[in-house]
Amino acid sequence: MFYVVTYDVATDTKEGQRRLRRIAQACEGYGQRVQKSVFECILDQTRYVELIHRLGDVIRRDEDSVRIYRTADFTRNNLVVIGKDLGLRLDSPWTI
């Protein structure tokens, strides 16, 4: 399945800034960053559950918010970009 992961972290403390970095690092292992706090991911059910648990272990539920949207498709046919296009191709192999 295709997912869009967004997050908003309270960064007014050093601890919050550390959580922000840890959330971004967790997401980097599962998808492609498309904006500062937005990742696009292609995940099977196992990787999806892993990501949920990993993010749940990092955030402070009373201060931070992570939203994960399941989408049908990330192809160019269903994508509208206004402004800078990062040119991501999630439907082809990635080189890391």
Side-chain angles (χ1 to χ4, degrees), residues 11 13-23 25 58:
T11 58
T13 66
K14 291 283 187 187
E15 179 190 347
Q17 294 167 8
R18 191 172 25 249
R19 284 194 318 274
L20 179 66
R21 284 190 304 277
R22 290 181 63 205
I23 289 171
Q25 289 168 345
V58 174

Side-chain angles (χ1 to χ4, degrees), residues 5 22-23 25-27 30 43-61 66 68:
V5 179
R22 290 181 63 205
I23 289 171
Q25 289 168 345
C27 290
Y30 292 87
L43 306 170
D44 61 21
Q45 186 64 27
T46 301
R47 300 267 298 153
Y48 172 73
V49 171
E50 286 174 5
L51 178 60
I52 294 289
H53 287 289
R54 193 160 175 198
L55 293 172
D57 289 343
V58 174
I59 71 165
R60 279 200 55 182
R61 295 174 189 269
V66 175
I68 301 174

Side-chain angles (χ1 to χ4, degrees), residues 5-10 19-20 23 37 55 59-69:
V5 179
T6 66
Y7 51 91
D8 184 33
V9 178
R19 284 194 318 274
L20 179 66
I23 289 171
S37 297
L55 293 172
I59 71 165
R60 279 200 55 182
R61 295 174 189 269
D62 60 330
E63 292 184 16
D64 307 328
S65 174
V66 175
R67 300 173 71 90
I68 301 174
Y69 300 92

Side-chain angles (χ1 to χ4, degrees), residues 28-41:
E28 286 172 352
Y30 292 87
Q32 175 69 45
R33 177 177 276 182
V34 294
Q35 292 185 1
K36 288 186 180 182
S37 297
V38 180
F39 282 79
E40 293 176 350
C41 308

